[in-house]
Amino acid sequence: MSTLRDLAEEHTQLRPADIDHLHRIAGDWQLLSDMSFADLLLWAPVDADGTFLCVAQVRPTTAPTAYQDDQVGRIVGGPEVAHLEVAYRQGRIWREGDPVWYGDVPARHEAIPVRLRTSDGEAGEVVAVVGRDTNLSTARTPSQLELNYLTTADDLAQMIADGTFPPPRHPGETTSAPRVGDGLVRLDANGKVTYASPNAQSAYRRLGYASHLVGEDLAALHRRLANDPLEGTDAANAVLAALRGDAPPRREIDARGATVLTRALPLMPAGVPIGALVLVRDITEVRRRDRALITKDATIREIHHRVKNNLQTVAALLRLQARRVAMPEARVALEDSVRRVASIALVHETLSMSSDEAVEFDTIVDRVASAATEVAATEVPVGMRRTGSFGVLPAEIATSLVMVLNELLLNAVEHGFPSADGDDDTDGAGLTAPALVSAPTGDGDLPAMPEVVVSAHRFRKQLHVTVTDNGRGLPAGFDADSGGNLGLQIVRALVTGELRGSIELRDASGGGTEAVLVVPLARGGADGRSA
């Protein structure tokens, strides 16, 4: 289904500013549809011959729809849209005419011109028409609530025709709440309540106001009810601003353990301020869950912080033990354990500073790669480089993956270099690191910088990682599945077990060795997010 903008740009001559205004209407017109008990269709002119295109539609949540089929994308002309033509050409709301039938459904047509005001606030030209079509099959005598809904809807319809509705949206606000059914309060020009829906009355009762709202000064009531005087003043000022014709941001009122969200809208048909509309919604449970989540997040971050501290303590103890061990093999084993514990601590350190159970993994990889070159026992300097992005990874993937990369990078740096006297300490079981290779130049062959490259990219909910060196390649007859050193055993166990992925060690096409990892990102609904 094409969007409003797509349809308007393809079939009409509307300017970008016109389309933006239609988007604002479509973002706020559920309010008008619910209070009108009617479908709203946004019609844009296609040409000068009276042809119109439906670019958006909304159905009421308070009444049956007049259209079972979606009307968006429909182009009509002739007598069927005569009412739209009148509203568009004359710039007035059209309410004349007899009911029409859509199959077995009788409906009443209305047409509201959509006017875009100029930059200096003057009434501009009509750019589109809102069709308000009411299903009459369930017509009955309206209640007091329905009469107030319809009266307010007519005021808002006139404001659309004037170009003063919808009001500008404030940064960060959505159109999801509050809605008409959550609670509606109508004020007169003096700020006194002339009508309050039952749901609105219930919301204020939770705040501690047990009397009926009609006749009450709502701004003064907000000041009295709020626990926080500043919060009450803000809520009161929002009501006063709407009475002056402004559209203030939404405000919350906390009192007696309850929280109510309020949205104040000015009512000024034909440019004359006649009062305000205040929508209210009881969000007590929503805010309670928010506070619980904040507490939970803080607790989880504190746990990660303590785990990081404990791991660092373990690493420090292992480091002290390594210094006291006389056997070189035991010392190396303990130092390897220190690096493994430190790499896990790095993930928990990142999680302790994050607001969720996910980490930006590129930074972790860069730190692990830097540490690998600093602590590796080699006399040859090795360059480290990362290409691509790991993105944001869930904690359960990041913890195991950092261990795998730590082992592969250390093996790449340590086991592939000949020492100064030409000896080779590799046991043929790990990823080889780059020996000095030759790069052709114009004057002959000069030593090139040994380098290890870590590359990553995402494809079809999988993370593909390659660790490549420009060293000597794998020994003849090397079998990654049979034995190997402890580091390679850890890598295989983590990749195939914890990460549920696969790993392949092979000779790189340009010389050297590469390890190719494929890790599925779908882990219990958390598939990671790209950076």
Side-chain angles (χ1 to χ4, degrees), residues 1-14 18-19 21-23 25-26 29 40-46 51-58 70-76 84 114 127-131:
M1 176 63 69
S2 299
T3 65
L4 186 159
R5 187 175 299 277
D6 293 336
L7 290 169
E9 290 178 347
E10 181 179 356
H11 298 283
T12 75
Q13 301 298 317
L14 292 176
D18 302 333
I19 298 175
H21 185 61
L22 299 188
H23 264 292
I25 290 177
W29 68 348
L40 300 183
L41 286 72
L42 188 54
W43 297 95
V46 175
T51 303
F52 289 85
L53 165 70
C54 182
V55 296
Q57 177 183 1
V58 63
D70 197 80
Q71 302 296 303
V72 176
R74 185 174 173 223
I75 298 178
V76 294
L84 303 179
V114 176
V127 297
V129 179
V130 171

Side-chain angles (χ1 to χ4, degrees), residues 199-255:
N199 283 345
Q201 190 72 51
S202 297
Y204 280 93
R205 187 171 291 113
R206 292 206 64 180
L207 293 175
Y209 185 75
S211 301
H212 204 278
L213 285 169
V214 173
E216 188 69 36
D217 185 324
L218 194 64
L221 180 63
H222 285 176
R223 290 194 184 94
R224 296 200 308 268
L225 290 178
N227 290 333
D228 185 346
L230 180 60
E231 184 181 85
T233 299
D234 288 342
N237 289 340
V239 173
L240 297 176
L243 293 172
R244 294 192 302 267
D246 298 328
R250 301 168 194 182
R251 299 295 184 187
E252 293 183 9
I253 304 175
D254 289 291

Side-chain angles (χ1 to χ4, degrees), residues 7 15 18 23 79 100 106 149-150 156 239 317 342 370 454 482 507 526:
L7 290 169
R15 301 163 300 183
D18 302 333
H23 264 292
V100 296
Y149 276 15
L150 292 170
L156 294 179
V239 173
L317 292 174
S370 177
V454 181
S482 60
D507 290 323

Side-chain angles (χ1 to χ4, degrees), residues 128-465:
V129 179
V130 171
R132 183 163 61 168
D133 301 335
T134 306
N135 186 333
L136 299 177
S137 61
T138 58
R140 56 186 176 82
T141 302
S143 64
Q144 184 183 12
L145 179 145
E146 292 168 337
L147 287 174
N148 277 277
Y149 276 15
L150 292 170
T151 300
T152 305
D154 287 343
D155 293 334
L156 294 179
Q158 183 60 55
M159 292 172 65
I160 289 179
D162 299 336
T164 57
F165 184 87
R169 189 175 302 171
H170 296 275
E173 286 190 345
T174 65
T175 59
S176 59
R179 291 189 171 189
V180 171
D182 296 324
L184 177 145
V185 178
R186 176 155 181 151
L187 309 179
D188 62 17
N190 297 317
K192 298 296 182 65
V193 177
T194 60
Y195 176 77
S197 69
N199 283 345
Q201 190 72 51
S202 297
Y204 280 93
R205 187 171 291 113
R206 292 206 64 180
L207 293 175
Y209 185 75
S211 301
H212 204 278
L213 285 169
V214 173
E216 188 69 36
D217 185 324
L218 194 64
L221 180 63
H222 285 176
R223 290 194 184 94
R224 296 200 308 268
L225 290 178
N227 290 333
D228 185 346
L230 180 60
E231 184 181 85
T233 299
D234 288 342
N237 289 340
V239 173
L240 297 176
L243 293 172
R244 294 192 302 267
D246 298 328
R250 301 168 194 182
R251 299 295 184 187
E252 293 183 9
I253 304 175
D254 289 291
R256 297 195 176 187
T259 305
V260 171
L261 175 66
T262 67
R263 182 190 183 192
L265 295 170
L267 293 177
M268 44 188 303
V272 179
I274 63 171
L277 174 68
V278 180
L279 301 173
V280 299
R281 180 184 180 186
D282 184 352
I283 58 170
T284 304
E285 290 304 310
V286 175
R287 289 295 172 260
R288 183 189 62 80
R289 289 194 294 269
D290 287 346
R291 288 190 290 269
L293 287 174
I294 291 173
T295 302
K296 179 181 177 181
D297 289 343
T299 302
I300 291 174
R301 288 197 298 271
E302 178 62 22
I303 290 173
H304 283 301
H305 180 72
R306 294 188 182 187
V307 170
K308 182 263 296 184
N309 289 343
N310 291 339
L311 289 172
Q312 289 178 339
T313 301
V314 172
L317 292 174
L318 291 173
R319 192 177 295 111
L320 289 172
Q321 188 65 42
R323 292 171 183 170
R324 295 174 179 269
V325 173
M327 295 178 59
E329 295 85 355
R331 184 183 303 111
V332 170
L334 288 172
E335 290 173 348
D336 287 343
S337 297
V338 169
R339 291 192 288 269
R340 288 163 185 150
V341 172
S343 65
I344 301 175
L346 185 60
V347 175
H348 286 281
E349 179 184 4
T350 305
L351 287 169
S352 69
M353 297 181 291
S354 174
S355 60
D356 56 17
E357 286 292 284
V359 294
E360 177 61 56
F361 202 71
D362 290 344
T363 303
I364 294 178
V365 173
D366 294 342
R367 292 177 64 179
V368 169
S370 177
T373 59
E374 292 175 359
V375 303
T378 177
E379 300 176 2
V380 181
V382 182
M384 286 283 182
R385 182 163 56 91
R386 174 176 56 83
T387 64
S389 175
F390 288 81
V392 178
L393 296 180
E396 65 268 24
I397 292 179
T399 303
S400 299
L401 186 57
V402 74
M403 282 278 290
V404 170
L405 292 176
N406 181 61
E407 295 296 333
L408 293 176
L409 291 170
L410 283 172
N411 283 341
V413 174
E414 289 184 344
H415 294 305
F417 291 106
S419 59
D421 57 4
D423 294 335
D424 185 1
D425 65 349
T426 182
D427 58 5
L431 184 68
T432 61
L436 291 177
V437 297
S438 297
T441 67
D443 299 327
D445 291 342
L446 294 176
M449 177 67 181
E451 185 178 50
V452 179
V453 179
V454 181
S455 61
H457 72 278
R458 295 176 181 232
F459 179 69
R460 293 181 178 176
K461 293 188 177 182
Q462 291 179 330
L463 179 64
H464 293 249
V465 183

Side-chain angles (χ1 to χ4, degrees), residues 24 73 115 203 470:
R24 287 194 294 273
R115 183 172 276 107
N470 57 354

Side-chain angles (χ1 to χ4, degrees), residues 467-497:
V467 180
T468 309
D469 65 59
N470 57 354
R472 297 159 302 162
L474 294 169
F478 176 78
D479 185 3
D481 296 326
S482 60
N485 64 10
L486 177 60
L488 188 54
Q489 293 175 19
I490 292 174
V491 168
R492 283 202 305 267
L494 289 174
V495 171
T496 59

